[in-house]
Amino acid sequence: MVEQYKQQHPYLLALDSIIFGFDGERLKVLLVKRGVEEETWSLMGGWLQPDESLEQAAARILFDLTGLTNVYLEQLYAFGEPHRDPIVRTISVAYFSLVKIADYESTISEQFQARWFSIYDLPPLLFDHGDMVDLAIKRLRYKAAQHPIGFELLPEKFTLPQLKKLYDAIYNTDFDKRNFSRKILSTNLLIKLDEKQKGFSRKGAYYYQVDSIKYQQLTSSFLNFIPNSEAIP
Amino acid sequence: MVEQYKQQHPYLLALDSIIFGFDGERLKVLLVKRGVEEETWSLMGGWLQPDESLEQAAARILFDLTGLTNVYLEQLYAFGEPHRDPIVRTISVAYFSLVKIADYESTISEQFQARWFSIYDLPPLLFDHGDMVDLAIKRLRYKAAQHPIGFELLPEKFTLPQLKKLYDAIYNTDFDKRNFSRKILSTNLLIKLDEKQKGFSRKGAYYYQVDSIKYQQLTSSFLNFIPNSEAIP
DNA sequence: TTTAGTAGTGTAAAATTGACACTTATTATT
DNA sequence: AATAATAAGTGTCAATTTTACACTACTAAA
């Protein structure tokens, strides 16, 4: 019985994160130089520890780099080509996360050489990390078209022009602002605040924030790509 | 450098498959009794071998049970709670597959005790396999709403009433057949054959088949949840 | 030839989408 | 104080898509 387990080969298990951020103009990915090949940019990653779940490990690794917790984190795909890591066979479970770039600025760990890159101007990446980024971009586009996850990339308070710029950046296009507002507001997911954004434009745009109750309902009923997790406290 | 690898814990890596089939009335999942707990129904699964990719392993395991190749197979999710397998910590990458149930009947391996279960009437399952099935059903519903993957569950030739019954079963509802036909046919993905189905009804329904060229185009442009795979021949 | 039973088709109202341009609010400049 | 500059904000119409809904058409069996 337990013999059956002992005959099996074990493998190293890594986690790699595609960390998206939005600087107001461009959709960006956070890359680091690390480990074995310090010459090459790569995704932030690390090893699974014996006492943690995959998601906990991904969250820990993200925290080590950015100092952020409570970040949007979704499993992307498990990559397991036999020679994807040429040194030792390693299975990598990739996660993608959406961070509020301003939050991150202040908390970044200095022990990593990290830099934001526009998704349209990426350097060559380690191993199959380029595939991971490509897939993450596709998934983000696919998902953001139907789920209101874009907010995760913006500050708590944001204006409609900011939100439109984000979607423009995600889809590399230029949406019509009238149709865009109509569609976004028809979800009833945004609460208009009395406050206007100062400084950027003469007129100033009203701030909005997400109606977090409605947002929870939507995400829990639909974002259920992520299952169970008995062990998440 | 390579030291860094040696310090890491390795883990067993399993694959489990949620195998969907459609018997003309109900959406079904193929379950087996196997291994450590012969008392409990479980998903078909197996171990990753050193020379194969995750997808190759999932396809091999599917073949061992069903004798089928060229089956729709999509990675679902990697499950890695520390104690999901109480004996040895194991990461399982779950795949879901869609099979033409009639093809399978003739090729099933006798060495497994296997049975189709309605998705609405599942027995208790091993480990976290129940979570896997739940997630697979959600994913199938989510995906089938926008991608024409339903055909994978039907024979080469099928009628519109059969297709409607399949969608009824997937979504546990009763679509309006007029609206259903219109929507399906508007995709231009079906080719109407001259032949009618005999025996089931007096009038007989026309058979259709998928326009495989258009289908390929659609799937390759959108099904790209599955990436790269340099090693797939 | 009649009947039983499923297959197959059409239409109108409602909702959504997409294209398109002017007015408003505010600050900086004169 | 008036004016200019700039981005914010809003409305309408046509086209398309969606939804609700019911009758006719085949064919085989009786």
Side-chain angles (χ1 to χ4, degrees), chain A residues 15 17 46-64 68-69 73 75 93 95 226 229-233, chain B residues 77-78 80-83 89:
Chain A
L15 298 117
S17 287
W47 302 102
L48 180 68
Q49 298 303 320
D51 60 334
E52 55 186 7
S53 69
L54 297 171
E55 179 152 339
Q56 283 166 348
R60 169 181 57 77
I61 290 162
L62 186 65
F63 177 81
D64 289 345
L68 299 177
T69 55
L73 191 62
Q75 189 182 303
V93 181
Y95 278 77
I226 293 144
S229 24
E230 46 188 346
I232 291 177
Chain B
Y77 200 77
E81 294 297 321
H83 303 290
R89 180 156 191 194

Side-chain angles (χ1 to χ4, degrees), chain B residues 1 6 48 57 79 126 131 136 151-152 181-182 194 217:
Chain B
M1 297 237 171
K6 292 196 180 133
L48 179 67
F79 291 77
L126 188 70
D131 294 331
F151 307 124
E152 305 284 351
S181 305
R182 183 155 31 125
D194 278 336
Q217 290 166 353

Side-chain angles (χ1 to χ4, degrees), chain B residues 18-22 27-30 96-100 116 119 133 136-137 140 153:
Chain B
I18 299 92
I19 304 170
F20 287 108
F22 178 64
L27 187 61
K28 304 224 159 164
V29 173
L30 188 61
F96 77 94
S97 69
L98 307 179
V99 308
K100 303 181 199 303
W116 290 103
I119 61 167
V133 173
I137 292 169
L140 175 61
L153 289 160

Side-chain angles (χ1 to χ4, degrees), chain A residues 5 48 52 75 78 85 89, chain B residues 5 11 52 75 78 85 89:
Chain A
Y5 286 89
L48 180 68
E52 55 186 7
Q75 189 182 303
D85 180 329
R89 180 156 191 194
Chain B
Y5 286 90
Y11 303 92
E52 54 186 8
Q75 188 181 302
D85 180 328
R89 180 156 191 194

Side-chain angles (χ1 to χ4, degrees), chain B residues 196-202 204:
Chain B
K196 273 188 167 182
Q197 184 186 41
K198 293 283 172 189
F200 177 69
S201 79
R202 303 286 159 86

Side-chain angles (χ1 to χ4, degrees), chain A residues 192-219:
Chain A
K192 187 176 188 172
L193 305 180
D194 278 335
E195 192 185 354
K196 273 187 167 182
Q197 183 186 39
K198 293 283 173 189
F200 177 68
S201 79
R202 303 286 160 87
K203 185 172 177 179
Y206 279 103
Y207 280 115
Y208 287 78
Q209 66 181 33
V210 174
D211 182 332
S212 53
I213 294 172
K214 285 183 188 155
Y215 182 64
Q216 288 304 330
Q217 290 167 349
L218 273 186
T219 47

